[in-house]
Amino acid sequence: MGRDIQAIKITGEDRRKYRDKVRRSLDAFARMLREQRFDDNPSMVGQEIELNLVDARGMPSMRNAEALAAIADPAWATEVGQFNLEINVPPRQLGGDEFDGLEQEVRADLNAADGKARTIGSHLVMIGILPTLAETDVHEEAMSANERYRVLNEQIFAARGEDMEIAIDGSEQLLTHCDTIMPEAACTSVQLHLQVSPDAFANYWNAAQAIAGVQVALAANSPFLFGRQLWQETRITLFEQATDTRPDELKEQGVRPRVWFGERWITSVFDLFEENLRYFPALLPICEEEDPLAVLDREGIPQLTEMSLHNGTIYRWNRPVYGVVDGTPHLRVENRVLPAGPTIADVMANAAFYYGLVRTLAEARRPVWTAMSFSTAAENLHEAARYGLDAHLYWPGVGETPAAELILRRLLPLAREGLSRLDVSPAHADRLLGIVEQRCLTGQTGAAWQVATVAELSRRDGLDRGEALRQMTQRYIEHMHTNEPVHTWSVGLGPG
């Protein structure tokens, strides 16, 4: 889905051929499901972590190409903005002490990369939206030098036919217009991958959808955008708006957005890929030579490149992924709702909560989605993005309840049960879920800490908003490097 492409001129014939090829890929995919061609290993997990680059003052650093050259590791790649990087964490199984090993490995990789980035005057920061980012930083010249992003930008605006409006009404208000997709680059996330069998896919995807709001409430880390205090997890609404190909007229007609929660619980992974073809025009209509049905006839495994590329331009909050490793196809749920940061310890705690909870819910005798409307799950996501742990979320058997109370009383025990089923060491499960518990008890998410620290710097030191954000960002980076979970951070001060 991060595939590089060459500069191209897209014609009407390209679009027709691509649509036909996606249909043929979908036919091949359906046949593979019927013939049970997939890897059945349900416990492989992986992560992608997006980060920002800043200079010594905490301001955006437009030097990702130089940083990548210094890091010189194929696990690292560009993202949309020149102030973004991404690391792909190799997949693994989670049993035993693997969470501890994963945490140590990711910390070592990030520390090594940060050390190399410092040689070119940049620093890495994991945060949902970089607080010091200004509107003047998100223009076309700040886009990464990857032709994929430029073609995607052209196609989105060709489909839209007018400038993008970003309108967010939160603690403060933001209304602005842009003529590129670059505001999307402000959004940096952690994506959690979970490999599942085809038969179990629908249950795991439905479970992930049901808890998306809870995840966002727990992990909120994006309260500031362009100097304004907006939602606790502003990244959710910003990403939805910054990639919207629909002018108002198409919205009124019910055309689906590219960043999509969905509209129904599913019964098969095929439902999602079929919706992709039915509802969404191609943005990158690039065809390969492979004939997927002919490959199947020869007892081979097709790459289904067109189906996967199309899927990669539809930004579901929980996205289906088809992959082939060592000649064996598999399916993954890619969970995309979480912001990056604040620390690796927090990231691992969020991951443990997700993997454990989704395992228990997916295997429940009475699935939670049979007692919750799909629209309620979508409403939970946006309520959580607005208010974080102060959000009131609906949950079957509980009704509307504060997010922190829901997590503490109902969902943490289920997450613990799921981690036990995954054979995660009880000691590691206790430590990571203990971070979740303390975050709920203290109410201090990354977003809450950022807001409180900016308020304290403004009150105590008389700083204007811009300088308070800059100093807060520097303190945030200092805390991030301690790997002490965010619920322990002092407000307004660096680490003790």
Side-chain angles (χ1 to χ4, degrees):
M1 287 176 290
R3 174 187 171 202
D4 290 345
I5 66 172
Q6 301 301 313
I8 56 172
K9 181 178 181 180
I10 295 170
T11 67
E13 183 181 7
D14 291 331
R15 295 186 178 281
R16 178 186 60 77
K17 287 181 177 178
Y18 186 80
R19 184 184 294 111
D20 291 344
K21 194 69 179 291
V22 175
R23 284 177 178 148
R24 195 164 178 83
S25 295
L26 201 59
D27 290 341
F29 183 61
R31 180 173 154 186
M32 293 172 71
L33 291 171
R34 289 194 304 271
E35 296 175 357
Q36 298 182 329
R37 298 278 192 109
F38 289 86
D39 185 356
D40 229 16
N41 186 347
S43 57
M44 293 291 286
V45 303
Q47 296 182 355
E48 300 170 68
I49 303 175
E50 298 168 352
L51 303 101
N52 289 284
L53 281 174
V54 297
D55 62 21
R57 299 184 67 252
M59 306 302 290
S61 175
M62 307 292 178
R63 305 183 70 178
N64 68 355
E66 296 167 78
L68 277 179
I71 293 168
D73 184 333
W76 289 82
T78 60
E79 267 295 323
V80 178
Q82 291 181 24
F83 53 91
N84 301 142
L85 288 176
E86 177 182 86
I87 182 173
N88 292 279
V89 181
R92 70 197 64 215
Q93 294 184 319
L94 278 184
D97 296 334
E98 278 299 314
F99 258 118
D100 184 61
L102 177 61
E103 181 174 348
Q104 299 307 318
E105 178 182 320
V106 175
R107 279 198 73 195
D109 287 346
L110 293 187
N111 286 339
D114 185 65
K116 292 175 180 176
R118 287 172 186 246
T119 65
I120 58 111
S122 295
H123 306 257
L124 297 179
V125 54
M126 290 190 303
I127 195 166
I129 294 175
L130 183 61
T132 54
L133 196 69
E135 286 187 65
T136 53
D137 294 318
V138 290
H139 50 79
E140 189 168 0
E141 290 71 28
M143 193 176 295
S144 289
N146 181 321
E147 198 61 35
R148 170 188 168 88
Y149 304 129
R150 299 193 183 280
V151 174
L152 196 59
N153 182 65
E154 291 168 3
Q155 294 302 304
I156 285 177
F157 278 89
R160 185 178 174 85
E162 64 186 49
D163 283 357
M164 202 85 70
E165 179 181 84
I166 305 293
I168 305 174
D169 188 4
S171 299
E172 297 168 3
Q173 287 75 42
L174 173 68
L175 176 61
T176 189
H177 294 82
C178 54
D179 59 2
T180 77
I181 62 170
M182 275 299 294
E184 174 195 342
C187 306
T188 47
S189 65
V190 169
Q191 292 135 41
L192 303 177
H193 291 252
L194 176 62
Q195 183 178 328
V196 297
S197 69
D199 289 344
F201 188 96
N203 279 10
Y204 275 88
W205 188 85
N206 289 342
Q209 291 284 96
I211 65 172
V214 174
Q215 287 182 272
V216 168
L218 177 66
N221 197 28
S222 311
F224 294 103
L225 174 64
F226 301 154
R228 294 170 179 83
Q229 182 185 332
L230 300 168
W231 293 12
Q232 292 287 287
E233 188 50 34
T234 305
R235 184 183 58 89
I236 295 293
T237 186
L238 175 60
F239 192 54
E240 288 174 341
Q241 295 184 51
T243 54
D244 201 338
T245 57
R246 307 167 303 160
D248 289 344
E249 294 82 0
L250 291 184
K251 293 177 186 177
E252 291 296 326
Q253 294 171 34
V255 172
R256 278 78 173 174
R258 300 302 289 210
V259 177
W260 200 31
F261 189 76
E263 58 192 17
R264 63 189 175 104
W265 306 116
I266 64 169
T267 58
S268 167
V269 62
F270 186 82
D271 296 349
L272 301 177
F273 285 106
E274 193 272 335
E275 283 179 348
N276 289 353
L277 177 61
R278 186 178 352 141
Y279 294 143
F280 297 99
L283 289 180
L284 299 174
I286 303 164
C287 291
E288 300 292 340
E289 294 298 321
E290 177 188 77
D291 181 338
L293 291 172
V295 172
L296 283 178
D297 288 341
R298 296 193 301 269
E299 298 301 317
I301 298 298
Q303 296 296 315
L304 304 184
T305 305
E306 292 82 8
M307 187 184 82
S308 295
L309 180 59
H310 187 48
N311 183 54
T313 64
I314 299 156
Y315 306 101
R316 296 177 185 271
W317 289 114
N318 284 290
R319 182 157 60 186
V321 178
Y322 168 88
V324 180
V325 176
D326 297 329
T328 302
H330 69 265
L331 296 172
R332 306 194 302 272
V333 177
E334 181 191 15
N335 178 254
R336 301 166 51 83
V337 300
L338 291 172
T343 66
I344 294 299
D346 288 301
V347 167
M348 293 301 156
N350 295 339
F353 179 73
Y354 168 75
Y355 289 129
L357 182 56
V358 80
R359 174 69 176 260
T360 300
L361 294 179
E363 296 180 351
R365 289 186 178 180
R366 188 187 178 197
V368 64
W369 54 92
T370 64
M372 178 194 292
S373 72
F374 194 86
S375 61
T376 296
E379 289 164 7
N380 277 352
L381 174 64
H382 288 91
E383 178 76 6
R386 279 183 177 272
Y387 301 112
L389 282 175
D390 290 332
H392 283 69
L393 306 180
Y394 176 84
W395 194 259
V398 178
E400 282 203 0
T401 188
E405 184 176 329
L406 172 63
I407 293 167
L408 290 168
R409 295 191 176 184
R410 181 63 64 97
L411 302 185
L412 265 177
L414 298 180
R416 191 177 302 278
E417 178 184 342
L419 291 178
S420 177
R421 293 184 191 180
L422 288 165
D423 296 322
V424 172
S425 157
H428 294 306
D430 287 346
R431 183 178 72 86
L432 294 173
L433 295 184
I435 291 172
V436 171
E437 179 182 47
Q438 288 302 311
R439 206 185 301 158
C440 290
L441 290 172
T442 62
Q444 184 157 287
T445 61
W449 181 87
Q450 289 184 54
V451 169
T453 299
V454 166
E456 176 66 11
L457 289 170
S458 301
R459 181 196 64 79
R460 187 190 67 198
D461 299 338
L463 303 181
D464 63 22
R465 173 62 62 82
E467 181 61 15
L469 288 171
R470 190 189 69 78
Q471 291 194 23
M472 179 271 287
T473 299
Q474 291 185 308
R475 286 165 170 74
Y476 179 103
I477 293 170
E478 292 172 9
H479 281 293
M480 181 189 76
H481 281 294
T482 70
N483 203 39
E484 292 297 325
V486 71
H487 72 265
T488 68
W489 292 9
S490 57
V491 170
L493 301 172

